Structures are given as C-alpha cells and as structure tokens.
Amino acid sequence: MMISAPETFNFGEDWLTAGIALHIAKGKTKVNVSTASREKVRSSWQIVQKIVEKGQAVYGINTGFGPLCTTKISKSETTLLQTNILQSHSVGVGKPIATEIAKLMLILKVHSLAKGFSGIAETTLDRIIWHIENDAIPIVPSQGSVGASGDLAPLSHLFLPLIGLGKVAYKNEVITTQALFEKTGMKALDLGPKEGLALINGTQFIAAHAVKVVAELHACLSQADIIGAMMIEGLQGSIKPFYNELHALRPFKGNVHVAQRVKMLLSGSEIMEDHIDCDRVQDPYSLRCIPQVHGASRNAWLHLKELLEVELNAVTDNPVIIDEELTISGGNFHGQPLAMALDYACLAASELGNISDRRIYLALEGNSPGVPKLLMEDTGINSGYMILQYTTAALASENKGLCFPSSADSIPTSLGQEDHVSMGSIGGRKALQVIGNVEKILAIELLTAAQAFEFRKPMKSGVFLDEIYKELRKEVAFAEKDRVFADDIETGIAMIKNKSIIEIIRRVSQREHISLETTHSAIFENY
C-alpha cells in the first residue's frame, strides 16, 4: 500500500513511485511543473529550433523515422512531419485499455518530458496536464505495441487529441476530440519539430501496466498470506514452519517477511493451542511451505517494483537533447528491462494461485481431524465444495498457459531497423490477466477456509482471523447443503478486489494496538 503521498507532485523534479502515480490518477495528489523544470523544457525546445535553423541532420527532427532516417525533411515540412507521425502510427487494435491505465500513461509521459531532454514545447506539456487534471482521457487500443521504440501505436493514440483527432473518455461518456473541443473551447495544437516523436517514443504503455501490476500483485500477496493463515487454522496446521529460528537459516527477504506475518496472524489462537502437542509430524507443502512459495513471489514483486521506479523517473525518448552540440539517438525506449521483470511477476502471480488451489484441494480431502470430506457433513445428496475446486483448477491451469514469457519472443519490425523488440506491452497486459485470475482463486480459498473454520467451533482464532471470519459471515452463510455457490464466489471476489480483508487487518491492529510490522515491512508494504 502507499503509506503516504505528497499533496502536490512536481513533474520532472520529484521522485515518482507506483503509489504516487496512482494517487495522481485518482485525483488524490495535485500536480505542478516547477519554474526550474519549465526552464529546462524551454531550453531543450530552443535547442531543437536552432538545429532546424542550422539545417543539420538530426534523427526525428528533420529526418524521416525508422528506416526513413536517411530521408532529409525540409524546414518548412518539419511541422507536418510531426503531425503525420501521430496519424501514421495510430494503428492500434483491440479493446481499449482501462481509463485509469491511459491516465497513468499521460502522467508518466509528462514526468519524462518535464525533465527537459525531449525538445517539447511548454504549450504541449501544459495541454497534456490539462487532460490529466480535467479527466479527459484518450481512448487507447490495447494491442499493437511490440515494446521496441517504446510503445509507438498506443502512445500515438494517446496523443491524437492534441491535434484534434481520436476520442476521449470525458464525464462518463466517450466522445470525439472535436466534441471535446466544442464543450471546452479548446483547439488543436500545431506540433513543432521533434514534438510528435517525443510524444510517441517511450515505454509509458508498458510502465503504466507495470504500475497496476505492482499495486494489484501486492494486494494479492497480502491477501494470500492472510487467507493461507486462515486455511492453516481451518485444517489445524502447525505454526512451527513460521518460526524465526528456521528462516534465519535461509533469510530470503520475502520468506522472512511472510513467515513473520503469518505467525503474527496466528498468535493468540485457541485453535493453534488445541493441537500444540498432537502427534502429526508435518503438514503438506501447501501449508508448510507458504513462506518459501509466497516469499518467492514477494521477491519477484520487489524486483519489479525496484526496476519500475528507475523507469518511472527515466527519460525514454529518442533522440535525447543533451545540449546544442550533442543529441543522442540511442535505445532508451527499448522495453526489455521491464519486459523481463513483468514476465517474472506474471509467474510469481501464477504461483500464488497454484498453491492456493492446492490448499483448497487439501481442505476437501477430509484428512484433517474434525473437518469432513468436501467440507460438508451430509454428502452424497450434496456435493459440498467439490466443484469450487474445479473452478480454481481451471483458473490455475489457464494461468500456466499465460506464463510463457512474452520477452522470449522478438519479431523484427520497421524493415529491420528495429530488429529486436521486447514485447513488454504484451507481458504487461498478460500479467494483469493472470492477477485477475488469482483474485478469483483467492476468493474461493477464502470461502473454503471459512467453511473449515466452522468445524473448529467453539474454539476461536486470534483476533485478526476471527474478525475476518465474522465479516465474511455477514455476507456468506455457512453451507449446510448445496446452493448456487457462484453467488458466494462473486461476494468473495468483491472482497478480494475491494481489499476488504486487508482493511480488516489494519482496523483490528489499530483497535487492539497490535503492530504487524516485520523485519522487512518497509520494503514489502510500501510502493
């Protein structure tokens, strides 16, 4: 979670994180461009004007693009060149991305442009900020980027409204940019030399998806720990695999964090105390190895978060304007650094769902004393929770198919000029799809863990898990016989998506004055 965010964020100057970007997108943090940043933007713009005046060939300013980089463009045509690039590169297809992700793209692009290495005009920068502040968010197709020269197609669609084209989501409806202009009195901009290229070169489509992956995967990780602890209670698993003494011998940060967190969630449990001297030697891996499996996914999340912060505060334009004597046509737009990390995060999410499905299956076996097979006493005429696990099996299997790394593929584009591409845009979309499936699996595990809990009565868990159980029972009753479980599942999914159980943990910890801080809370609980 984002522990704190500034009231105002200074584009081009302050350090941007995934949490701050989301706060800006939700309207919780205001934005500003400082005087110093504006001066850098003006200076970079002036350098581009001088390059045009001198007539020296500089890629993208007075040359064509990609394989047309050797084609010289006259001074009089440099403005038309920038307008044409937005139109010719707007070739996206598929369903539009979520409005929030498109808004994140605008935010990330402004931050990069405001650093003053792109040759953008202040008027253009201010127009993009107007779109952010007034929630006039461009419609961007989801498919068409290979993540090489950055995200050319989606970024082109993102900025069509600057030149009066495309569509926007505005005041709960999708309208043409011309209709937006009629409503607001705005007019199309005339883009100057280099501006079109500066707008569409960059990794903002990939990075915006990565921001959402960081946030949504973090929520899944937090809830997987909580629900896993509930399942340990329901099946009377052992607390010993979560002892600090064990994890000190193999101190991966994620493992240590998960073990400490689960141990605290289980503290004060009558259920744990009831079988402390039982003769069971050890639990199946899906219970016993929660720190190792959840912890590995935590480590993958941390890797993505750290790389993403570098990207959010980077200049991914091309060419970059260093000074009047030095412009560099390089490869900062290449999406490979995030593409590989997104594939890693996709696998990490899938594994959360995989082990959750195993715990659900374990709960149905009837091998835990006091817990009936299929989590229901009267089976035969009733199927109990049998078929819920079919759904989690299907979702877990679907996720495995989605885990093939997008970054392992590359198809040459631009007549061979862009002969290695990252496919990071596909990896970002795919990671969010897997996370969505994991949310559903966790929802079903929450239901099954609560059903198992019921058979431990009158014993109670500790204050945290007992409170979650009570809150769930307000919405989903104990199942004594078969019913339409899809309704229960939808309630569970809503709780996972709304992060309700995370909020319950926070509320109880404040009420009981119990700190859930762990050795590694600072790095795993703040983004």
Side-chain angles (χ1 to χ4, degrees):
M1 70 189 116
M2 182 64 207
I3 292 174
S4 62
E7 289 186 12
T8 301
F9 181 82
N10 294 295
F11 281 128
E13 189 172 300
D14 294 341
W15 185 257
L16 186 60
T17 66
I20 293 173
L22 286 165
H23 266 72
I24 296 170
K26 295 177 191 302
K28 296 179 180 178
T29 293
K30 295 179 181 179
V31 293
N32 177 56
V33 182
S34 69
T35 302
S37 291
R38 287 187 177 278
E39 181 53 43
K40 289 179 182 178
V41 169
R42 281 194 293 269
S43 175
S44 180
W45 179 80
Q46 288 166 356
I47 289 170
V48 169
Q49 308 314 305
K50 290 177 182 179
I51 290 171
V52 173
E53 286 297 323
K54 290 179 180 179
Q56 64 191 86
V58 175
Y59 174 72
I61 295 179
N62 49 20
T63 74
F65 307 112
L68 302 175
C69 60
T70 57
T71 303
K72 191 76 179 293
I73 304 299
S74 68
K75 178 181 174 182
S76 61
E77 293 177 318
T78 53
T79 298
L80 178 60
L81 175 68
Q82 304 307 313
T83 300
N84 281 350
I85 193 175
L86 283 184
Q87 295 184 86
S88 66
H89 286 53
S90 294
V91 293
V93 295
K95 293 180 179 179
I97 61 174
T99 302
E100 184 182 32
I101 295 179
K103 189 173 184 180
L104 284 168
M105 289 176 68
L106 293 173
I107 292 163
L108 306 191
K109 176 58 81 171
V110 170
H111 189 48
S112 179
L113 295 175
K115 291 182 178 292
F117 293 94
S118 299
I120 203 83
E122 263 189 286
T123 51
T124 304
L125 195 68
D126 288 335
R127 175 62 66 86
I128 303 172
I129 293 172
W130 180 89
H131 277 272
I132 295 169
E133 292 180 331
N134 290 274
D135 273 322
I137 310 303
I139 301 300
V140 178
S142 56
Q143 296 171 294
S145 172
V146 295
S149 285
D151 299 302
L152 294 173
L155 283 168
S156 296
H157 284 277
L158 188 73
F159 293 117
L160 280 178
L162 300 185
I163 57 173
L165 303 176
K167 295 180 179 180
V168 297
Y170 183 67
K171 294 186 176 179
N172 300 315
E173 61 177 335
V174 175
I175 59 175
T176 65
T177 299
Q178 286 304 312
L180 176 71
F181 287 173
E182 290 170 9
K183 290 175 181 288
T184 61
M186 308 290 281
K187 294 181 179 179
L189 298 178
D190 292 322
L191 298 178
K194 173 69 167 64
E195 287 198 273
L197 189 60
L199 291 170
I200 71 168
N201 254 324
T203 60
Q204 284 75 36
F205 182 89
I206 299 172
H209 280 78
V211 166
K212 288 293 291 181
V213 170
V214 163
E216 299 308 319
L217 179 54
H218 183 269
C220 283
L221 287 162
S222 296
Q223 293 177 101
D225 293 346
I226 298 165
I227 298 167
M230 286 188 72
M231 191 64 89
I232 291 169
E233 288 276 59
L235 302 183
Q236 281 201 322
S238 173
I239 198 172
K240 284 187 177 180
F242 304 90
Y243 279 13
N244 294 337
E245 291 85 348
L246 174 66
H247 297 283
L249 302 177
R250 196 190 188 204
F252 288 111
K253 292 175 182 177
N255 302 29
V256 171
H257 179 68
V258 171
Q260 291 176 346
R261 194 159 177 263
V262 172
K263 188 169 181 286
M264 284 187 282
L265 289 168
L266 294 172
S267 63
S269 167
E270 294 177 2
I271 301 171
M272 285 286 111
E273 290 295 324
D274 181 64
H275 69 107
I276 199 165
D277 294 319
C278 73
D279 58 1
R280 191 187 306 178
V281 177
Q282 60 185 17
D283 297 320
Y285 287 2
S286 60
L287 297 181
R288 189 178 5 141
C289 298
I290 285 175
Q292 289 78 13
V293 179
H294 289 199
S297 292
R298 287 263 180 185
N299 292 330
W301 174 87
L302 179 62
H303 182 63
L304 175 62
K305 184 194 84 162
E306 290 175 343
L307 293 186
L308 176 61
E309 284 193 17
V310 174
E311 191 78 339
L312 295 182
N313 295 282
V315 176
T316 56
D317 183 15
N318 182 61
V320 294
I321 313 298
I322 305 298
D323 55 41
E324 197 170 337
E325 303 301 321
L326 181 61
T327 62
I328 302 175
S329 183
N332 274 10
F333 48 63
H334 201 292
Q336 194 78 352
L338 284 189
M340 295 178 71
L342 281 165
D343 286 334
Y344 183 20
C346 183
L347 176 61
S350 180
E351 277 301 285
L352 276 186
N354 208 2
I355 194 171
S356 176
D357 168 70
R358 292 298 81 212
R359 288 193 293 266
I360 294 165
Y361 188 93
L362 188 66
L364 302 181
E365 286 185 315
N367 292 335
S368 181
V371 177
K373 188 178 293 185
L374 302 176
L375 295 173
M376 198 171 283
E377 296 280 9
D378 186 16
T379 51
I381 190 170
N382 293 298
S383 296
Y385 278 61
M386 181 199 303
I387 307 301
L388 279 76
Q389 192 267 328
Y390 281 45
T391 301
T392 61
L395 291 166
S397 182
E398 181 177 313
N399 281 349
K400 292 171 190 176
L402 290 168
C403 277
F404 181 86
S406 299
S407 58
D409 185 32
S410 178
I411 299 176
T413 57
S414 195
L415 303 184
Q417 182 76 1
E418 296 162 13
D419 55 356
H420 180 279
V421 301
S422 76
M423 301 298 182
S425 57
I426 300 169
R429 291 192 293 111
K430 193 154 58 67
L432 286 177
Q433 187 177 347
V434 168
I435 289 168
N437 287 340
V438 171
E439 290 173 338
K440 296 166 187 170
I441 296 171
L442 290 175
I444 293 173
E445 187 186 0
L446 177 62
L447 299 175
T448 53
Q451 184 76 0
F453 241 57
E454 197 83 23
F455 298 102
R456 298 304 171 196
K457 287 182 174 180
M459 292 183 295
K460 292 184 178 181
S461 179
V463 289
F464 293 107
L465 302 183
D466 203 52
E467 189 72 18
I468 290 172
Y469 171 78
K470 290 176 183 175
E471 288 294 322
L472 177 63
R473 281 290 172 255
K474 292 177 182 178
E475 302 291 334
V476 179
F478 172 71
E480 294 183 357
K481 59 183 180 179
D482 286 350
R483 60 186 183 225
V484 180
F485 286 113
D487 297 336
D488 296 355
I489 293 171
E490 287 303 317
T491 300
I493 292 170
M495 289 186 72
I496 297 297
K497 286 188 172 294
N498 295 335
K499 305 169 182 61
S500 300
I501 65 175
I502 296 175
E503 175 57 26
I504 292 168
I505 296 294
R506 186 196 65 79
R507 190 173 68 232
V508 173
S509 65
Q510 290 182 343
R511 185 188 73 204
E512 302 292 331
H513 305 291
I514 301 173
S515 174
L516 280 176
E517 292 293 309
T518 74
T519 304
H520 298 296
S521 280
I523 59 172
F524 285 117
E525 298 303 331
N526 185 21
Y527 55 85

